[in-house]
Amino acid sequence: MTGAGDTHHEGVVGDGYPAGAAWVVAAYGELDQDTLAPLEEALAAAADRHRLVVLDARSVTFGDSSFLNLLLRVHRLTALRIAAPGDQLRRLFALTGADTVLSLYPGVEDAVAGSAGGS
């Protein structure tokens, strides 16, 4: 493997790529205990190699408690920023209080820069 998360897993995670000082991992579709393994692998590899990891969540249509637990675990390993979470993810984060722990941003560029709405 040449970079963290550079393997495409159909429907779950796309290619990882550098953006400034961050490594971006793009996630797709529904993320639950049955589909989460490829994203977990990509985020863990990114956290091992990079001080700042951005999860591009704009194409995530659903995330459950196992997805949330993964984000909280990765948050403890590295600086994790969540870019462009949709309404369902924002509700999940708000209902669980995770929005007070995780850093949420309106877009990838904002997350990389650490500006415009991080919490």
Side-chain angles (χ1 to χ4, degrees):
M1 190 186 282
T2 58
D6 60 356
T7 304
H8 180 74
H9 299 280
E10 188 67 34
V12 178
V13 63
D15 293 340
Y17 61 91
W23 186 264
V24 179
V25 175
Y28 303 93
E30 296 185 7
L31 296 164
D32 59 31
Q33 69 181 22
D34 295 328
T35 61
L36 203 58
L39 179 60
E40 184 170 11
E41 189 178 301
L43 288 174
D48 282 346
R49 295 181 179 101
H50 304 279
R51 294 175 58 113
L52 175 58
V53 175
V54 173
L55 175 64
D56 180 351
R58 72 181 138 198
S59 296
V60 174
T61 56
F62 174 80
D64 71 356
S65 61
S66 59
F67 171 68
L68 179 58
N69 284 327
L70 169 63
L71 297 182
L72 293 171
R73 285 192 314 269
V74 173
H75 170 73
R76 287 191 281 265
L77 299 174
T78 191
L80 176 66
R81 297 177 182 169
I82 313 299
D87 291 340
Q88 189 272 330
L89 292 184
R90 286 191 173 278
R91 277 193 305 277
L92 174 67
F93 299 153
L95 287 171
T96 61
D99 59 347
T100 65
V101 176
L102 297 172
S103 298
L104 308 177
Y105 293 85
V108 171
E109 297 81 13
D110 300 307
V112 170
S115 61
S119 57

